[in-house]
Amino acid sequence: PPAATSSDEEDDSDSSTKPIRSEKKKNPVSLFQTGGDPPKEKKTKKKAPPKAAKSDEETPETPQKNSNKKGKGKKSKKTKEEKPPSPVIEVDNLEEFVLRPAPQGVTIKCRVTRDKKGMDRGLYPTYYVHLDNDKKVFLLAGRKRKKSKTSNYLISIDPTDLSRGGENFIGKLRSNLMGTKFTVFDNGANPDRANADWSNVRQELSAVVYETNVLGFKGPRRMTVIIPGMNADNERVPIRPRNDNDGLLMRWQNKNMDNVIELHNKAPVWNDETQSYVLNFHGRVTHASVKNFQIVHSSDPDYIVMQFGRVADDAFTMDYNYPLCAVQAFAIALSSFDGKLACE
């Protein structure tokens, strides 16, 4: 059942019954392209959009071959309906996998669990991401740092090592003082410690902006998610700001959108019967929560880039699609847990 976003209804019986993927005139992949010419396949395959998505899905597999030999054959069998079991996702090299965009045409379904047990876990819970499949493969862990002036979450590829200096540190999420804007970095160096050609400097992977609406944070939230665009080879355009005035947030505020893509959460619809706002999560979300959201591109609101929602007190589903990677999706989800936004 779809889930309400801001009522205490456990479960809603109704929401739009639109299919999860309507046939599209435009290939969703082209929405995210900012650098260089789009791959040539698209022009020849325009006649049948579902097939195009399938054949495109094989394009990004090529650079993956080394880390993903077993997965290739299996993934390409994926049909366009959402019914068949998820394709087998092979995670050979965890560090590579969590930073690599989801393959086109494949939804990567994950589960986020929140652990509040232990001394200070009530204030600083640890969050874990696993693939939501039979194997429950561990992907990422995240926790808020204790002594930071602003909210600062470390993201690690080791569930037991959440230290900033450790080699398992893969990314971080940092908020502004207000707790309404967040930036996601990979594990590169601070610009102060740049090498001569800046190649070691951290990339910004995403930024998230929360707007209050007329109801303060009580009604549905409005989120803007800013991510780097993709180049002609379907790889993320590296954005390595040299200072705080050059990051994704500043570019977005200054409307300098070169190589930058703006996404939004899909506005929930008011449902008179349940007296609550609802979104259709196609069975992936079962509990009402103001934290439930779907991220879309305004040019194609039927293509869900990411969705996140509650399924139990401390369990959430997190599904992401091309062009997001696991670190981006997890960091966006972590931002929604942050204290200043929590208004349930």
Side-chain angles (χ1 to χ4, degrees), residues 300-325:
D300 186 352
D302 291 332
Y303 180 77
I304 308 288
V305 179
M306 171 187 175
Q307 71 177 24
F308 179 78
R310 172 171 280 175
V311 290
D313 280 353
D314 288 306
F316 305 80
T317 48
M318 177 184 95
D319 300 346
Y320 67 94
N321 281 298
Y322 180 87
L324 288 192
C325 68

Side-chain angles (χ1 to χ4, degrees), residues 17 35 38 46 75 95 104 116 173 181 183 187 241 246-247 250 253 258 270-271:
T17 48
K46 267 199 179 118
K75 270 187 207 144
E95 182 167 0
Q104 293 164 28
K116 292 176 168 172
L173 169 74
K181 294 177 181 170
T183 303
N187 54 0
D246 179 33
M250 287 307 284
Q253 276 161 284
D258 294 345
W270 179 256
N271 179 323

Side-chain angles (χ1 to χ4, degrees), residues 95-115:
E95 182 167 0
E96 221 174 84
F97 178 86
V98 296
L99 288 167
R100 187 171 60 222
Q104 293 164 28
V106 176
T107 299
I108 299 195
K109 297 182 172 173
C110 306
R111 195 175 181 89
V112 176
T113 47
R114 173 169 58 186
D115 177 7

Side-chain angles (χ1 to χ4, degrees), residues 128-327:
Y128 300 101
V129 185
H130 290 80
L131 283 180
D132 197 1
N133 58 12
D134 303 337
K135 290 190 185 152
K136 304 272 182 283
V137 181
F138 167 80
L139 296 180
L140 294 164
R143 193 174 66 215
K144 199 173 192 174
R145 294 180 73 183
K146 292 185 185 115
K147 295 191 173 67
S148 283
K149 289 194 283 289
T150 59
S151 294
N152 199 323
Y153 292 79
L154 285 185
I155 299 173
S156 166
I157 49 174
D158 181 332
T160 59
D161 173 20
L162 282 143
S163 60
R164 173 72 177 84
E167 55 196 41
N168 297 304
F169 166 67
I170 192 93
K172 74 172 194 173
L173 169 74
R174 189 179 73 193
S175 85
N176 63 351
L177 280 166
M178 291 278 296
T180 52
K181 294 177 181 170
F182 294 80
T183 303
V184 183
F185 300 95
D186 71 1
N187 54 0
N190 187 306
D192 306 343
R193 294 188 281 281
N195 56 16
D197 63 354
W198 286 80
S199 59
N200 67 331
V201 170
R202 63 190 179 196
Q203 291 186 40
E204 283 194 14
L205 299 178
S206 178
V208 190
V209 178
Y210 289 88
E211 292 168 56
T212 51
N213 53 21
V214 283
L215 303 163
F217 277 128
K218 289 268 183 287
R221 293 183 183 168
R222 290 180 57 189
M223 297 165 70
T224 301
V225 173
I226 304 131
I227 56 170
M230 307 298 275
N231 66 16
D233 296 329
N234 299 310
E235 288 159 353
R236 215 173 12 251
V237 176
I239 293 199
R240 291 194 170 87
R242 303 196 164 205
N243 54 53
D244 287 342
N245 299 322
D246 179 33
L248 288 169
L249 283 169
M250 287 307 284
R251 294 182 189 201
W252 174 76
Q253 276 161 284
N254 298 332
K255 301 196 169 34
N256 164 18
M257 300 300 281
D258 294 345
N259 292 328
V260 175
I261 302 284
E262 179 180 317
L263 306 169
H264 294 274
N265 65 319
K266 199 168 184 172
V269 184
W270 179 256
N271 179 323
D272 272 337
E273 263 175 68
T274 60
Q275 289 291 299
S276 60
Y277 289 97
V278 282
L279 270 178
N280 192 348
F281 287 88
H282 300 277
R284 290 286 290 157
V285 175
T286 53
H287 284 46
S289 168
V290 47
K291 296 187 177 80
N292 299 349
F293 62 83
Q294 288 176 328
I295 300 293
V296 294
H297 190 292
S298 53
S299 303
D300 186 352
D302 291 332
Y303 180 77
I304 308 288
V305 179
M306 171 187 175
Q307 71 177 24
F308 179 78
R310 172 171 280 175
V311 290
D313 280 353
D314 288 306
F316 305 80
T317 48
M318 177 184 95
D319 300 346
Y320 67 94
N321 281 298
Y322 180 87
L324 288 192
C325 68
V327 171

